[in-house]
């Protein structure tokens, strides 16, 4: 496909009747509330003006789809280059079909309506850009809910003695029982904060932060990593059921069965303090009662710590402190053994480092918001790229010949393909280093699943066709 061919196709699209044209929702900035102090409103207006000023062809990678025309999704599917990576959608479809077959409540009518609503959302670009990366999270939630409908005859034997034995072999004692030996109301509240309050809101907060402050494409990677990590954890819990510390405290090492309901354990003190039975009822109705190994509480906190540390390296000690705080609370509340926490963190570490080495956009020095990025680099930084970190590429490119001498970088490498820069596909630095590393890409044209067409001859044509 040549640039001329694209121009003809573009003209034909523009000649279509208006009801076939792309329909887009207007995105307007909300007015600032008058209740805010004048100084804060002035700073917010200044930041908003800077973001508007950055909206140029070179920063189109940070823009969002606003189209609600299903034809755009069909065109994106036609140009999508199918790879082994797309097999994840077959896996998600299999999990979805399994959930629909196993779940007994709600009924078939509600299931059909929810499925139709999901498929409709996937055809609208405005909704698809957020819904598609969230599919692993939805698959995990529905799979976790469907576990309660599995007959006990199909489930494996529950391991009661294994985790206490591993705890004693690895640490010389049952750390959960040691930490829970001395109870008090201040300690109960201190343990409740990360385990029963912050934990459930933290994924939403991290999602908002990665969208605003991460490079374009960070939020989809975070969502997929989080969803697949949780889905893997539930599969392990279902295939390898183990009893938590509260079972040992209540029943000893007696054999367990699936008729036993979950226990709030240490969180029951919070219910008594608040005068309700929120946590008692919640854990009693848990679909996976014997899901001690691995700990998803630990997995969540570890994945959040890794992603947030990549965006804000200076705050890494605070994120590690939160992880240690949550580890202590889970053992203090008798919900997990220490070996469960290590296993949960291990799963999250695997998910994060796979994502970082392949699809996670790299944070660039001097960039604060997603709108600051003119190009995006994926995967691990090559050695020659790491040597260039810390240099002002903008000044090197736009400066004079004399300024370029101050940088230990070849002049041709900094200039790169200047036509590519003016077309808004990448910086000259990115264009020059792309041949040296497959981990560098400069996305401009997004594929149907939010990924980019930035490699190969077809990718070159697509980049030029963007403008």
């Amino acid at each position: 496909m040549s640039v001329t061919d694209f121009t003809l196709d573009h003209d034909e699209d523009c000649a279509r009747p208006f009801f076939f044209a792309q329909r887009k929702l207007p995105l307007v900035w909300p007015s600032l509330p008058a209740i805010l102090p004048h100084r804060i409103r002035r700073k917010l207006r200044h930041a908003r003006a800077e973001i508007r000023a950055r909206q140029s062809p070179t920063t189109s990678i940070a823009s969002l789809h606003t189209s609600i025309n299903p034809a755009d999704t069909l065109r994106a599917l036609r140009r999508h280059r199918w790879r082994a990576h797309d097999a994840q959608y077959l896996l998600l479809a299999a999990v979805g079909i399994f959930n629909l077959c196993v779940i007994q409540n709600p009924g078939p009518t509600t299931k059909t309506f929810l499925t139709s609503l999901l498929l409709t959302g996937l055809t609208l670009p405005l909704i698809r850009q957020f819904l598609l990366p969230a599919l692993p999270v939805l698959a995990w939630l529905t799979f976790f809910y469907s576990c309660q409908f599995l007959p006990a005859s199909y489930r494996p034997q529950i391991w009661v003695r294994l985790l206490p034995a591993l705890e004693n072999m690895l640490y010389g004692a049952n750390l959960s029982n040691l930490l829970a030996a001395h109870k008090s109301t201040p300690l109960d509240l201190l343990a409740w904060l990360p385990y029963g309050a912050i934990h459930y809101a933290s994924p939403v907060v991290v999602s908002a932060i990665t969208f605003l402050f991460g490079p374009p494409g960070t939020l989809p990677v975070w969502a997929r990593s989080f969803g697949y990590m949780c889905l893997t954890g539930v599969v392990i819990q279902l295939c390898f059921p183990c009893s938590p510390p509260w079972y040992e405290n209540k029943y000893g090492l007696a054999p367990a069965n699936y008729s036993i309901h979950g226990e709030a354990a240490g969180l029951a003190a919070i219910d008594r303090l608040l005068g309700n039975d929120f946590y008692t009822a919640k854990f009693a109705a848990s679909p996976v009662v014997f899901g001690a190994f691995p700990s998803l509480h630990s997995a969540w906190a570890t994945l959040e710590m890794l992603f947030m540390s990549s965006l804000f390296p200076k705050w890494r000690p605070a994120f590690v402190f939160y992880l240690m705080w949550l580890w202590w609370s889970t053992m203090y509340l008798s919900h997990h053994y220490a070996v469960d926490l290590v296993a949960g963190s291990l799963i999250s570490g695997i998910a994060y480092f796979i994502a970082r080495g392949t699809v996670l956009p790299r944070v660039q020095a001097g960039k604060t918001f997603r709108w600051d990025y003119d190009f995006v680099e994926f995967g691990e930084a090559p050695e020659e790229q790491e040597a260039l970190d810390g240099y002002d590429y903008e000044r090197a490119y736009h400066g004079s010949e004399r300024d370029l001498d101050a940088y230990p970088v070849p002049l041709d490498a900094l200039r790169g393909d200047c036509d590519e820069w003016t077309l808004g596909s990448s910086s000259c630095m990115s264009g020059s280093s792309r041949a040296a590393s497959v981990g560098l890409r400069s996305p401009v044209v997004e594929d149907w699943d939010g990924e980019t067409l930035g490699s190969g001859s077809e990718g070159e044509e697509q980049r030029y066709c963007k403008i």
Side-chain angles (χ1 to χ4, degrees):
M1 178 179 178
S2 63
V3 179
T4 305
D5 295 338
F6 175 82
T7 306
L8 294 176
D9 294 341
H10 180 71
D11 294 337
E12 292 176 359
D13 291 341
C14 296
R16 292 178 301 174
F18 75 95
F19 51 83
F20 284 111
Q22 298 182 3
R23 298 187 298 273
K24 297 187 176 181
L25 294 179
L27 296 180
V28 296
W29 289 95
S31 58
L32 298 176
I35 194 174
L36 294 176
H38 174 71
R39 181 178 298 179
I40 296 178
R41 282 187 286 138
R42 184 175 60 186
K43 290 183 178 180
L44 290 176
R45 283 195 297 267
H46 178 70
R48 190 170 64 184
E50 286 185 352
I51 292 175
R52 281 175 171 174
R54 297 187 188 108
Q55 296 303 312
S56 62
T58 58
T59 58
S60 59
I61 59 173
S63 60
L64 298 176
H65 294 294
T66 58
S67 172
I68 56 174
N69 188 359
D72 295 338
T73 300
L74 297 179
R75 281 193 292 269
L77 278 173
R78 284 198 297 267
R79 73 164 179 251
H80 179 69
R81 294 176 296 174
W82 299 99
R83 296 157 295 177
H85 175 75
D86 297 313
Q88 63 176 313
Y89 299 112
L90 296 177
L91 173 63
L92 295 175
V95 173
I97 295 173
F98 173 82
N99 296 334
L100 291 175
C101 295
V102 172
I103 293 176
Q104 302 176 6
N105 186 21
T109 304
T110 306
K111 293 180 185 179
T112 304
F113 172 75
L114 293 177
T115 304
S116 303
L117 193 64
L118 176 65
L119 296 177
T120 302
L122 290 175
T123 60
L124 305 178
L126 177 64
I127 303 176
R128 186 194 72 227
Q129 61 187 337
F130 298 104
L131 185 58
L132 199 64
L135 286 180
V137 180
L138 296 177
W140 156 62
L141 290 174
T142 53
F143 182 73
F144 178 75
Y145 176 75
S146 66
C147 289
Q148 61 184 310
F149 300 103
L150 294 176
S153 58
Y154 289 93
R155 297 191 180 190
Q157 174 190 357
I158 302 172
W159 297 84
V160 176
R161 301 174 180 268
L162 179 61
L163 293 183
L166 288 176
E167 190 88 351
N168 284 279
M169 283 193 303
L170 295 176
Y171 310 110
N174 190 323
L175 299 182
S176 178
N177 289 340
L178 291 177
L179 293 176
H182 303 284
K183 296 279 189 178
S184 65
T185 301
L187 289 178
D188 292 340
L189 292 174
L190 191 63
W192 164 72
L193 280 175
Y195 192 87
I198 301 176
H199 169 76
Y200 296 101
S202 58
V204 180
V205 175
V206 173
S207 298
I209 292 176
T210 53
F211 175 77
L212 293 175
F213 300 100
T218 304
L219 177 58
V221 175
W222 150 255
R224 288 190 172 97
S225 302
F226 181 81
Y228 286 122
M229 177 268 296
C230 292
L231 187 61
T232 303
V234 174
V235 170
I236 296 176
Q237 292 174 353
L238 188 65
C239 299
F240 187 62
C242 298
S243 60
W246 60 259
Y247 179 89
E248 182 184 1
N249 298 335
K250 186 175 182 178
Y251 301 100
L253 298 179
N257 58 77
Y258 290 102
S259 63
I260 299 175
H261 295 285
E263 292 281 346
L267 289 176
I270 303 299
D271 285 344
R272 292 192 297 269
L273 186 64
L274 300 178
N276 56 37
D277 62 344
F278 175 78
Y279 291 105
T280 302
K282 176 178 176 294
F283 282 93
S286 176
V288 184
V289 176
F290 298 98
F293 183 91
S295 169
L296 287 184
H297 274 73
S298 174
W300 286 26
T302 303
L303 195 66
E304 292 162 357
M305 180 269 294
L306 292 172
F307 269 88
M308 296 296 289
S309 297
S310 66
L311 296 179
F312 309 102
K314 294 182 179 180
W315 290 87
R316 183 177 287 111
F319 303 137
V320 174
F321 172 78
Y322 169 72
L323 176 62
M324 296 296 102
W325 185 17
L326 186 132
W327 274 27
W328 168 81
S329 67
T330 55
M331 292 186 287
Y332 174 83
L333 297 172
S334 300
H335 279 263
H336 288 285
Y337 295 99
V339 66
D340 307 332
L341 305 177
V342 174
S345 295
L346 181 61
I347 294 176
S348 293
I350 294 174
Y352 171 77
F353 286 107
I354 290 177
R356 193 184 73 171
T358 54
V359 295
L360 182 64
R362 293 206 300 269
V363 178
Q364 300 172 11
K367 304 300 176 68
T368 303
F369 298 98
R370 61 180 282 116
W371 297 277
D372 294 331
Y373 285 80
D374 296 322
F375 63 94
V376 178
E377 301 167 298
F378 295 87
E380 294 286 352
E383 295 181 359
E384 60 269 20
Q385 184 70 14
E386 292 179 353
L388 300 177
D389 288 344
Y391 292 102
D392 190 351
Y393 300 136
E394 290 291 326
R395 179 175 176 270
Y397 176 70
H398 295 290
S400 61
E401 298 287 340
R402 185 184 305 173
D403 294 333
L404 292 175
D405 295 337
Y407 292 86
V409 184
L411 179 61
D412 296 337
L414 286 174
R415 284 174 175 169
D417 188 356
C418 294
D419 291 337
E420 192 175 20
W421 171 268
T422 56
L423 287 174
S425 60
S426 66
S427 73
C428 296
M429 188 65 216
S430 176
S432 63
S433 60
R434 187 182 301 109
S437 172
V438 297
L440 289 176
R441 295 189 296 172
S442 299
V444 168
V445 175
E446 291 188 349
D447 208 343
W448 83 286
D449 58 353
E451 295 184 357
T452 56
L453 301 175
S455 59
S457 59
E458 182 180 354
E460 293 293 334
E461 294 172 0
Q462 292 290 349
R463 286 198 298 272
Y464 280 96
C465 294
K466 176 63 178 178
I467 303 302

